[in-house]
Amino acid sequence: MSKSEILSQMQGIFRDVLDNDAIVLADHTTASDIEEWDSLTHIQLIVAIERHFKFKLDSREILSWKNVGEMADAILKRLGS
Amino acid sequence: MLFNSLRFLLFFSVFFALYHGPAKAFRGGQNWLLLAGSYAFYAFASWKILPLLILFTGIFYALGIAIERATEPSRKSLWTGVGVVLGLGGLLYFKYTNFFIEVFADLLSGLGFRVHAPTLSILMPVGISFWTFRLLSYVIEIGRGRQRASYDKVEFASYVAFFPCILSGPIDRPSQFLPQLEKQRDFDEALAVDGLRQILWGLFKKVVVADQLAEAGQKLIADPSHYSSGGLFVGMFIFLLQMYADFSGYTDMATGVSKLLGLRIAKNFNYPLFAQNIADYWRRWHMSLTSWLTDYVFLPLNIKWRDNENVGMAAAIIVTFLASGLWHGANETFVLWGLYHGLLYVPLIVAGTMSKKPKLTTVQFGLPAPSVVGRAMLTMALVSFGLIMFNAPTVTGAVAYMIRMFSLTGWEHGVIGQPPTWGLLWASVMLATEWFAREREHGLAGLVSLASSRRRMALYVALTLCVVVASGQDVGFVYFQF
């Protein structure tokens, strides 16, 4: 799976969890770009991503993400391993 | 040295002239001045503790570099852990040693042991909760790979000791503040004028509203048996109005002073008295502490417990609020206050409405819709009720207040002795002004577009007169104690 495919699937998850069909994800997107994305919905997003891609992410890794691009990189790495 | 004192005015006038004048003559001069001014300001509050502040600053400066230079993740974690243990250790020692001795002694007494627990004479460092949290966020962010270490000692020390914020916050994050110190700050007239406006608004809230309500609040909590249940009910709202006007007034002044220096500090309040539920309230009140606790306590716990869904989230929120309670002080009252706020989240978690951001809808003339007023009043009542515990010296005192409040003794014996009529009236003016300014940074921020320069000037003069007439009481800031 390519990074753009992962981003596209993540976009679907974000739209579903945050209940906002206008969300468009890019590498540089951060929580400050999306009103509904806060510390509480962040966890719901992680749980939804883990269920969708069927793996568990590492807590330390989750805390180090700076933007959507880094989230996608982590997923890509996990899918590749 | 209070912001609303002649001494601070003199200090800052000299500082301001040097900062935008001679200090620009050489590279880094403004930061050197900022550091010298900040240490002088801190020494004025607590000169005995200044060496401790300098020592911690030096240690965390070195730790930041050690974390960044470590190539092995385990080594990075080790140095970050050292920072966290040192920071929390210092905080625990200076702020909580006696509290834990007493709790431990009570526990042993409860088990039937005869205990004589001597408490230690420990000097409580002023502002330690604020500067320790700055230091902690610095090392944790470097450890997480989201912040570069500072290699400029003066720059870093200025960030830690920045005088407008060292005693009561906001708790600025290094990623927002340090880059501002890397450049020379030129005088920005528009920013400075806005800063002066914000200082005036902060002074109004502090001197005209908070200080006028302070005495009534202190009397009520000191001996509730003297007052009727109606009076005590009104009294708990006085606690909230006073604390908000005091703390947000301080923050407005700190923000305004920073703007005069060409610096932007973290936003700490977003009109919390209009919050529509408890989660909304915490998104608006003491925001720099809430976001700090969210990032370093709530998120790691919630991520760890995410498989437990709502139960995990509720547990993470309750632990976070217990930490918030303890941060405020070494007293069971603060712990119970934190627990109370954590539990207030449970209905929102169950209903799944915690992340919803309710809109502040209006009716004619921009006035709030009745439903908005109703939800805001309910939220204020819940928060105010918690402040009984927060303000009481002991749990027993808080319980006595609550029992008396619900004893239905009506309104006899006068409402609250000498009711702070002027304070409440000015609090209404504050609330009305802030309602119409709620989309802006502070209460007077919208004046430029709303009023002619002559009217603006008249308003500034009127507000200044109010401050001058109301001043004279030497009432410290509530959050200095933390």
Side-chain angles (χ1 to χ4, degrees):
Chain A
M1 199 181 289
S2 69
K3 189 173 175 182
S4 61
E5 280 175 282
I6 289 171
L7 269 178
S8 162
Q9 291 187 23
M10 282 173 66
Q11 187 167 285
I13 295 168
F14 271 63
R15 287 179 175 185
D16 185 38
V17 171
L18 304 180
D19 197 19
N20 179 355
D21 287 340
I23 291 172
V24 178
L25 294 186
D27 269 357
H28 54 79
T29 307
T30 63
S32 57
D33 299 318
I34 301 172
E35 200 197 340
E36 298 86 355
W37 187 4
D38 59 19
S39 58
L40 302 167
T41 50
H42 186 60
I43 308 301
Q44 293 169 329
L45 287 169
I46 288 161
V47 171
I49 285 169
E50 286 178 333
R51 284 188 184 147
H52 179 86
F53 291 104
K54 297 185 176 61
F55 56 66
K56 291 286 282 181
L57 289 154
D58 175 58
S59 296
R60 191 175 300 180
E61 195 173 29
I62 294 169
L63 288 167
S64 71
W65 294 334
K66 289 195 274 291
N67 53 37
V68 164
E70 293 191 3
M71 287 173 88
D73 286 335
I75 296 167
L76 188 63
K77 194 173 146 195
R78 186 58 65 91
L79 289 173
S81 63
Chain B
M1 199 184 324
L2 301 177
F3 286 162
N4 52 315
S5 66
L6 195 61
R7 196 173 282 147
F8 181 77
L9 184 67
L10 288 172
F11 164 80
F12 189 68
S13 301
V14 174
F15 185 88
F16 180 81
L18 293 172
Y19 184 85
H20 287 296
K24 282 183 182 172
F26 64 99
R27 195 178 148 75
Q30 284 179 314
N31 288 346
W32 273 104
L33 182 68
L34 206 53
L35 183 60
S38 295
Y39 282 167
F41 182 87
Y42 192 74
F44 203 87
S46 178
W47 63 270
K48 285 182 183 169
I49 298 300
L50 186 59
L52 183 79
L53 173 66
I54 296 171
L55 176 70
F56 267 71
T57 304
I59 293 171
F60 276 75
Y61 170 79
L63 278 173
I65 293 171
I67 297 166
E68 185 169 86
R69 286 188 178 161
T71 46
E72 293 292 313
S74 59
R75 194 47 74 96
K76 269 188 196 297
S77 299
L78 173 73
W79 288 125
T80 309
V82 168
V84 171
V85 168
L86 263 178
L88 288 181
L91 199 56
L92 284 171
Y93 174 73
F94 284 104
K95 213 170 162 179
Y96 304 103
T97 303
N98 285 332
F99 171 67
F100 288 123
I101 289 175
E102 284 166 17
V103 168
F104 191 61
D106 285 348
L107 201 70
L108 289 178
S109 303
L111 294 171
F113 293 97
R114 291 184 65 180
V115 182
H116 171 67
T119 48
L120 304 177
S121 170
I122 299 170
L123 193 63
M124 161 79 175
V126 183
I128 188 170
S129 308
F130 293 97
W131 55 258
T132 299
F133 270 33
R134 281 177 174 239
L135 291 169
L136 285 173
S137 71
Y138 176 72
V139 289
I140 295 171
E141 289 299 310
I142 298 172
R144 287 182 181 177
R146 300 200 299 200
Q147 168 73 37
R148 297 300 309 266
S150 174
Y151 287 80
D152 184 324
K153 295 181 191 73
V154 177
E155 214 171 89
F156 177 67
S158 302
Y159 155 68
V160 179
F162 184 54
F163 71 87
C165 304
I166 194 166
L167 297 182
S168 277
I171 305 163
D172 277 287
R173 299 298 183 85
S175 60
Q176 304 296 322
F177 198 85
L178 277 170
Q180 297 185 67
L181 297 181
E182 288 167 8
K183 304 180 283 252
Q184 179 177 284
R185 278 78 66 193
D186 291 321
F187 181 72
D188 179 337
E189 192 184 332
L191 187 66
V193 170
D194 189 51
L196 286 172
R197 257 188 232 119
Q198 196 161 358
I199 291 171
L200 181 58
W201 185 240
L203 273 171
F204 174 80
K205 286 201 278 187
K206 166 65 181 160
V207 177
V208 182
V209 182
D211 290 358
Q212 305 305 312
L213 295 173
E215 193 185 343
Q218 281 161 8
K219 281 183 178 168
L220 284 161
I221 204 72
D223 193 358
S225 65
H226 277 101
Y227 305 98
S228 62
S229 56
L232 295 175
F233 182 74
V234 174
M236 70 176 196
F237 287 97
I238 290 179
F239 298 153
L240 178 60
L241 290 170
Q242 190 233 335
M243 185 165 290
Y244 170 68
D246 187 286
F247 192 18
S248 75
Y250 170 88
T251 306
D252 276 332
M253 286 186 256
T255 310
V257 167
S258 305
K259 283 179 180 173
L260 286 169
L261 303 177
L263 293 163
R264 288 275 190 179
I265 58 172
K267 192 172 179 173
N268 226 11
F269 290 92
N270 186 22
Y271 308 107
L273 301 188
F274 307 136
Q276 299 291 287
N277 59 44
I278 207 71
D280 193 25
Y281 172 80
W282 281 108
R283 279 194 289 268
R284 296 165 177 270
W285 176 277
H286 204 175
M287 295 152 74
S288 65
L289 175 66
T290 308
S291 76
W292 196 102
L293 291 169
T294 300
D295 282 357
Y296 306 127
V297 182
F298 171 73
L299 264 180
L301 290 177
N302 201 15
I303 287 170
K304 202 176 178 64
W305 298 336
R306 63 188 182 277
D307 292 337
N308 300 310
E309 298 189 353
N310 281 352
V311 176
M313 184 178 282
I317 286 176
I318 288 169
V319 172
T320 306
F321 274 104
L322 286 173
S324 175
L326 268 176
W327 178 89
H328 279 89
N331 195 330
E332 291 98 335
T333 52
F334 292 123
V335 178
L336 287 174
W337 169 84
L339 179 65
Y340 167 76
H341 273 278
L343 292 173
L344 285 180
Y345 268 81
V346 173
L348 298 176
I349 297 171
V350 173
T353 55
M354 203 162 51
S355 289
K356 297 268 184 288
K357 295 185 177 114
K359 294 269 182 289
L360 298 178
T361 47
T362 54
V363 288
Q364 267 192 322
F365 311 116
L367 294 169
S371 59
V372 168
V373 176
R375 284 194 295 266
M377 289 298 289
L378 177 64
T379 310
M380 279 171 74
L382 290 170
V383 174
S384 302
F385 186 71
L387 284 177
I388 298 172
M389 189 59 80
F390 190 92
N391 282 353
T394 60
V395 176
T396 318
V399 173
Y401 189 110
M402 290 169 189
I403 290 173
R404 178 86 184 156
M405 190 172 81
F406 290 117
S407 67
L408 303 180
T409 52
W411 298 88
E412 71 266 23
H413 312 307
V415 179
I416 28 181
Q418 287 267 317
T421 317
W422 282 106
L424 289 171
L425 186 75
W426 288 120
S428 313
V429 172
M430 170 188 79
L431 283 174
T433 307
E434 293 205 333
W435 171 260
F436 290 105
R438 67 192 181 282
E439 302 292 337
R440 301 176 189 275
E441 194 185 346
H442 59 88
L444 302 183
L447 281 180
V448 181
S449 56
L450 288 176
S452 65
S453 60
R454 193 175 293 178
R455 282 184 184 167
R456 282 205 307 271
M457 202 49 73
L459 186 72
Y460 298 150
V461 171
L463 280 173
T464 309
L465 277 175
C466 285
V467 170
V468 171
V469 170
S471 61
Q473 305 178 60
D474 197 13
V475 184
F477 288 93
V478 174
Y479 263 68
F480 274 12
Q481 62 184 302
F482 306 130

